[in-house]
Amino acid sequence: MTTIGLIGAGAVGQTVGMLLVTAGWCDAVMVASGSGRTAASLVTDLEDMAQVTGSHVRAIHAAPDAMSGCDAIVVCPRAAFTNTATSDVRMAGLAANTPLIAALGRRLSNYQGTVVVVTNPVDVMTRLFAATSGCARVFGVGSNTDSARYRLALARLLDVPVEAIAGHVIGEHGDHAVICASSTTVRGCPVAVPQREVRAELVHRPRRINSALGRTRAGPAGAVLAALAHALGLVDGVIELAAPWRGDWYGIPLRFTSGTPTVCMPSLAPAESIQLQTAAAKLRTAYEQIAVRTALRGDTF
């Protein structure tokens, strides 16, 4: 029996729950939220969905403490705050979301399964959850969404099928994302990447979604399902996830084989290496700012 824990019943959590019920490869989804009310409502909604679609997946309302036996846990809560940032948008959640993620990490201390973190700033929150929980298998989904958007943008700009493009976005899920243009290929051949246009699309694409829907949900939720499928050994392949690499945490390509990840960094041009070092320094500084405060707090979820 495969059980997935889902902590957070907001826009992304709701979408992840729906995808898990319809995908049908797990047997149960255990849902928790800060108030409990949204989790209970989501469970009721997912029960309706399972009945209508003929899915065998059971939705269960449970506290995070009850998820120790889950095969994987998705961490996607968001603290209540108004994000007014016009740049570095994802980093704006650092102060608000830190107590929430630290509290969850402590509650799930030494959990033995796989954890997928969605909460922004996802690279820092992934590292924070790993540090406070002691969990060995913690991944964040930001760079996977960025890489998908990169391939979509490049396919449109070059007028080629997106399936023909191989390329990654790594580093921060945010303003310091690193476009691996030098290693990008189309049908296996190197290509000149119009980086200014691509980067503009990476910035504006989520804003277009947010302006009409309030929050991105389908893309990040899809990235969660892809991460779970790879980490649980359902599929093999390469996926970009936040993970530890040379002392820092940020998005990198991981090759999963039967659920076991191996880092497979692309070759980087000198300018790309500098960009990655800048992203790593920014994320390291952000983590160091919250690490001392987090060690002194007794926050609850």
Side-chain angles (χ1 to χ4, degrees), residues 144-168 184-188 205:
N144 185 238
T145 310
D146 290 336
S147 295
R149 290 168 175 164
Y150 171 48
R151 294 165 194 145
L152 284 166
L154 194 56
R156 178 180 58 81
L157 290 165
L158 299 182
D159 194 23
V160 298
V162 68
E163 296 79 12
I165 296 173
H168 307 283
T184 296
T185 61
V186 174
R187 300 188 179 94
R205 191 179 185 92

Side-chain angles (χ1 to χ4, degrees), residues 65-85:
D65 312 72
M67 297 181 181
S68 59
C70 289
D71 298 273
I73 297 176
V74 179
V75 176
C76 57
R78 180 185 185 274
F81 75 99
T82 301
N83 191 342
T84 59

Side-chain angles (χ1 to χ4, degrees), residues 21-280:
V21 167
T22 54
W25 53 257
C26 68
D27 299 289
V29 180
M30 303 179 73
V31 184
S33 67
S35 67
R37 183 167 176 265
T38 52
S41 297
L42 178 56
V43 165
T44 302
D45 202 21
L46 294 177
E47 287 175 338
D48 290 351
M49 185 181 199
Q51 178 61 30
V52 169
T53 62
S55 172
H56 71 280
V57 180
R58 293 186 299 120
I60 304 166
H61 184 197
D65 312 72
M67 297 181 181
S68 59
C70 289
D71 298 273
I73 297 176
V74 179
V75 176
C76 57
R78 180 185 185 274
F81 75 99
T82 301
N83 191 342
T84 59
T86 56
S87 62
D88 226 1
V89 174
R90 298 175 183 91
M91 194 61 72
L94 181 66
N97 288 324
T98 288
L100 191 63
I101 299 303
L104 280 172
R106 296 188 189 101
R107 287 188 72 173
L108 293 165
S109 177
N110 297 312
Y111 167 69
Q112 297 301 305
T114 295
V115 178
V116 177
V117 179
V118 186
T119 305
N120 277 321
V122 64
D123 305 291
V124 183
M125 294 298 104
T126 303
R127 182 174 185 176
L128 177 63
F129 186 92
T132 53
S133 68
C135 297
R137 286 173 58 87
V138 182
F139 307 100
V141 298
S143 288
N144 185 238
T145 310
D146 290 336
S147 295
R149 290 168 175 164
Y150 171 48
R151 294 165 194 145
L152 284 166
L154 194 56
R156 178 180 58 81
L157 290 165
L158 299 182
D159 194 23
V160 298
V162 68
E163 296 79 12
I165 296 173
H168 307 283
V169 175
I170 63 175
E172 182 197 12
H173 178 51
D175 290 5
H176 284 78
V178 179
I179 298 170
C180 299
S182 64
S183 60
T184 296
T185 61
V186 174
R187 300 188 179 94
C189 298
V191 62
V193 175
Q195 291 203 49
R196 180 175 298 178
E197 293 89 339
V198 166
R199 188 166 291 279
E201 176 65 4
L202 291 180
V203 171
H204 294 300
R205 191 179 185 92
R207 291 179 181 175
R208 290 201 303 271
I209 297 170
N210 291 341
S211 65
L213 298 181
R215 191 157 299 141
T216 57
R217 59 198 73 202
V224 168
L225 246 67
L228 290 172
H230 284 79
L232 295 177
L234 302 177
V235 298
D236 290 344
V238 176
I239 184 171
E240 304 84 2
L241 297 173
W245 174 243
R246 295 180 175 175
D248 288 301
W249 286 70
Y250 47 74
I252 54 176
L254 297 174
R255 182 179 301 279
F256 281 88
T257 305
S258 299
T260 301
T262 304
V263 176
C264 55
M265 287 288 286
S267 59
L268 300 176
E272 294 165 353
S273 294
I274 293 172
Q275 290 170 16
L276 186 59
Q277 292 168 15
T278 301

